[in-house]
Amino acid sequence: MSLDGRGSALPEAEYEQLKSDVDAWVRGPGEAWAERIEASGEVPEELWTELKEHGFLSLAAPVELGGRGLSFVQWMGLMEIFSRSHASVRMIVHVVNGTWRAMNPFANEAQRDRFIKPSVAGDIKVAFTLTEPGNGTGADITSTVRREGDTYYLTGRKHLITFGVRCDYWLLFARLEGSTGKHGTVALLVDRHAPGATVIDTSETMGVRGTDHAELVFADTPVPVANRLGEEGEGLAVALGGFLTPSRISVAMSCVGLAERAQELAVEYALRRVTFGKQLAERQAIAFQIAENEADIEAAKALVLHAAEQWQEGRETASALSSMAKMTAVDMLTRVTDKALQVHGGLGYWKTQTIERVYRDARAQRFEEGTNEIQKTVVARDVFRRAAVKESK
């Protein structure tokens, strides 16, 4: 079995048909769902069911886990299309099609049958649970567990946890009581309804309306040792190892898809809107903004696909490239959505316009899988490391 989903691909004709099917859903039912979500502020369970029934939650995983068996580059092509839809749709397919990557390399067969295959199938929801309110998202985590026989007892806090309210399990990262650094960390699948767990709904966000987020408080919450992925000391390896790089590339591609949607809306409006007897598209100031957007999108997309290819091939360069792709795509999305909104003039400020939603949603990717400041740190460290290696030769 391919543990990380790099080693398979759909035949080209089958893949092109799948892309066409996804695009048709995004432009049809997806738009209807977008209007419903924006009106209610909630993602109904029926949407999850519809995505499951279309097979959209199990696209990226290997066939052996119940997935469609796309290559990673193929999956990025679909991520690009899904990201033109409502941000909550994008968030669901991104998370469900990615969480298995963290779990699978460290799972035993019983855990694959109990957690991973049902997650890929869309039968259970698993929420990635790393971030804490009082520190960062790495070796400085402070949530702790103490072990008594076959049970861990969990104490601590987590926040900004996507799908943390409606999930079935939290894929949660903590440290052994009294330990420091990454070597004391553990990865646990914690039952959403375990005693001693308090869930605070924090879903009121600027954009990505309808996606639930949670703050979590644990007080001696029991977790079976059988729910631990990997060994004690491998918690951060589960959280960051084979998961973070492809997830950053996926978020970067979501920036490309959303930017393409913003550009599409701007072009449509520029062709439709007439001032003083001329289309906006005929005015050089508008045309130049559209041209800049198009070049910006294509440049970012090329880098994202390069990073995706490098990761798919198992290249050492993939990690730094994923950070380059994400920081480049995030900045591109900011520029493109700002110009697209400007093309709409004052009308773009109204919630009746799709561009208003796209503009709000575009802010979310700036902190997903690490801010640009984090990405720059990763890239700079890689640049200096390579320079030092070269100098030592």
Side-chain angles (χ1 to χ4, degrees):
M1 180 192 299
S2 172
L3 294 180
D4 52 20
R6 301 187 210 202
S8 59
L10 287 187
E12 193 60 26
E14 186 179 345
Y15 176 61
E16 289 300 320
Q17 182 59 56
L18 179 56
K19 285 175 67 178
S20 178
D21 292 343
V22 171
D23 185 68
W25 185 88
V26 164
R27 293 184 181 278
E31 278 300 300
W33 279 114
E35 293 173 6
R36 182 172 171 183
I37 293 168
E38 285 299 304
S40 67
E42 296 180 356
V43 171
E45 192 64 26
E46 303 96 276
L47 173 56
W48 285 79
T49 301
E50 185 170 326
L51 292 169
K52 172 186 171 181
E53 290 175 348
H54 278 79
F56 293 162
L57 302 182
S58 53
L59 292 166
V63 172
E64 296 89 342
L65 294 179
R68 190 70 181 267
L70 275 70
S71 71
F72 185 66
V73 171
Q74 287 180 333
W75 168 232
M76 288 301 92
L78 295 185
M79 191 74 244
E80 179 184 0
I81 299 171
F82 276 119
S83 300
R84 299 171 192 156
S85 185
H86 191 279
S88 282
V89 172
R90 188 274 297 182
M91 188 70 81
I92 293 170
V93 296
H94 164 67
V95 170
V96 178
N97 278 282
T99 308
W100 66 271
R101 291 186 197 279
M103 297 187 287
N104 195 47
F106 295 88
N108 58 41
E109 285 306 312
Q111 290 170 330
R112 285 194 181 96
D113 290 338
R114 184 181 174 194
F115 300 113
I116 299 176
K117 291 179 182 178
S119 174
V120 169
D123 293 331
I124 65 171
K125 301 179 182 68
V126 178
F128 194 84
T129 309
L130 176 61
T131 307
E132 298 181 352
N135 42 267
T137 55
D140 59 343
I141 56 175
T142 56
S143 294
T144 60
V145 293
R146 72 176 193 281
R147 181 170 177 173
E148 295 182 6
D150 293 332
T151 303
Y152 289 112
Y153 290 89
L154 168 66
T155 297
R157 302 177 73 95
K158 300 287 184 179
H159 79 159
L160 307 180
I161 306 305
T162 304
F163 307 132
V165 178
R166 75 193 306 155
C167 67
D168 298 291
Y169 292 92
W170 296 296
L171 174 56
L172 185 143
F173 305 92
R175 66 171 55 262
L176 297 170
E177 199 171 56
S179 71
T180 59
K182 66 180 182 179
H183 300 296
T185 58
V186 292
L188 304 171
L189 283 151
V190 182
D191 192 304
R192 160 71 173 80
H193 301 289
T198 301
V199 180
I200 303 164
D201 192 330
T202 57
S203 298
E204 288 300 315
T205 51
M206 177 190 294
V208 198
R209 300 271 295 163
T211 294
D212 69 281
H213 303 275
E215 181 177 347
L216 312 172
V217 182
F218 301 96
D220 269 351
T221 299
V223 185
V225 171
N227 286 21
R228 187 190 70 218
L229 290 168
E231 302 299 324
E232 291 183 348
E234 292 186 326
L236 282 186
V238 177
L240 306 177
F243 171 75
L244 188 61
T245 294
S247 191
R248 280 177 173 162
I249 297 169
S250 183
V251 172
M253 185 56 88
S254 79
C255 294
V256 172
L258 190 57
E260 288 171 337
R261 179 60 172 145
Q263 174 79 331
E264 181 181 66
L265 292 168
V267 170
E268 289 174 355
Y269 188 78
L271 290 170
R272 185 173 71 247
R273 174 68 166 150
V274 175
T275 62
F276 298 99
K278 292 176 66 174
Q279 290 179 326
L280 287 184
E282 297 178 71
R283 301 190 180 281
Q284 189 180 70
I286 299 299
F288 278 10
Q289 291 188 73
I290 295 298
E292 290 164 357
N293 276 358
E294 196 73 6
D296 224 357
I297 293 168
E298 288 298 323
K301 181 177 177 179
L303 178 55
V304 174
L305 286 174
H306 178 52
E309 289 164 357
Q310 293 291 290
W311 186 81
Q312 183 171 290
E313 294 172 7
R315 301 296 179 88
E316 185 183 354
T317 55
S319 178
L321 278 169
S322 75
S323 288
M324 294 181 217
K326 202 225 164 202
M327 73 187 203
T328 298
V330 161
D331 285 346
M332 174 277 296
L333 180 59
T334 300
R335 292 190 296 269
V336 168
T337 50
D338 188 60
K339 290 172 185 172
L341 183 66
Q342 191 68 17
V343 168
H344 284 75
L347 191 62
Y349 198 67
W350 263 250
K351 287 185 178 292
T352 54
Q353 302 300 303
T354 305
I355 190 62
E356 185 273 342
R357 182 191 87 220
V358 170
Y359 187 80
R360 281 186 289 108
D361 286 345
R363 186 75 188 183
Q365 284 94 327
R366 295 183 69 159
F367 55 81
E368 287 183 63
E369 305 300 15
T371 63
N372 269 13
E373 289 75 19
I374 293 294
Q375 311 309 329
K376 291 171 185 176
T377 300
V378 171
V379 173
R381 185 184 299 132
D382 182 71
V383 170
F384 292 131
R385 178 190 63 78
R386 286 187 285 111
V389 169
K390 184 176 179 180
E391 188 175 316
S392 67
K393 289 182 178 179

